[in-house]
Amino acid sequence: MRRFLDLIVKRLLRSRAGVAIVLFAIVLLIVGVARGFSGNATDRGPTVVSGGTATPAGPSIDPSYNYDGPVSSLAPPTPSTSPGGAKPEAVGYAFAAAWVDHQNVSAEAWLDRMLPHATESLAGKLDGVDPAGVPADRITGDPVVASYADSVVDVTLPVDSGTLRLTLVAPEGRWLVDSVDWERA
């Protein structure tokens, strides 16, 4: 018997088909073990067969709805501003107005107009930037605020060449622009 098993194993492992059969058996074993640990299908409720496709029974989402994931019952955070401080949309608009006002102005003067509304980090990144490279000349609409936390918001403003997106932070209740991004229309 042992000689018979040795003969089968040696011949089986020497052929491509034999190696494929052994690998297939290993994959089946792994899948079987994984299913055993994950629970059986009856734990998920009955299955309904419709049009040849098995689907779990239970509540479903109407495909005509534009479902985008779970909905939170929590209201978005309200940006917090220190008493007497400017709201994020006002700071974003003031920064954007200085950003688009770049023609016939030196790099220093252009940066100086934005500094009161920018974090030190952003000011350092903008230092030495040539204002001639600004891809917009005017703001064409009102700012829109998207709040992520009470001290982090995005302010988007339409400009003549696309959309200006500013991220504002207010670690101490005073809103400042921390990053600038522009998207072509």
Side-chain angles (χ1 to χ4, degrees):
M1 179 73 171
R2 181 164 169 77
R3 184 175 172 170
F4 175 73
L5 290 175
D6 286 342
L7 181 64
I8 289 177
V9 170
K10 285 180 184 177
R11 283 191 183 182
L12 189 63
L13 292 178
R14 287 188 183 177
S15 70
R16 289 181 186 168
V19 171
I21 290 170
V22 169
L23 289 175
F24 183 71
I26 291 171
V27 169
L28 284 178
L29 179 67
I30 291 171
V31 169
V33 169
R35 282 191 174 185
F37 282 114
S38 68
N40 59 26
T42 59
D43 292 343
R44 289 179 234 131
T47 300
V48 177
V49 177
S50 164
T53 306
T55 57
S60 63
I61 297 170
D62 183 352
S64 66
Y65 285 104
N66 187 12
Y67 181 70
D68 204 18
V71 178
S72 172
S73 62
L74 300 175
T78 303
S80 141
T81 304
S82 61
K87 295 196 177 294
E89 55 269 24
V91 174
Y93 193 89
F95 181 92
W99 186 75
V100 297
D101 186 17
H102 61 91
Q103 295 180 356
N104 301 322
V105 65
S106 69
E108 294 79 22
W110 177 70
L111 179 61
D112 286 344
R113 292 180 193 160
M114 291 182 288
L115 285 179
H117 313 292
T119 62
E120 287 183 24
S121 172
L122 180 60
K125 292 174 187 173
L126 292 174
D127 190 25
V129 171
D130 183 4
V134 173
D137 294 321
R138 62 188 169 80
I139 299 170
T140 60
D142 295 328
V144 176
V145 177
S147 181
Y148 298 110
D150 61 351
S151 63
V152 179
V153 299
D154 271 355
V155 174
T156 54
L157 294 116
V159 293
D160 57 345
S161 60
T163 303
L164 180 62
R165 181 178 314 279
L166 307 171
T167 300
L168 282 73
V169 295
E172 297 172 10
R174 180 173 176 249
W175 291 100
L176 295 171
V177 178
D178 193 48
S179 71
V180 179
D181 191 16
W182 170 78
E183 298 170 6
R184 181 177 302 279

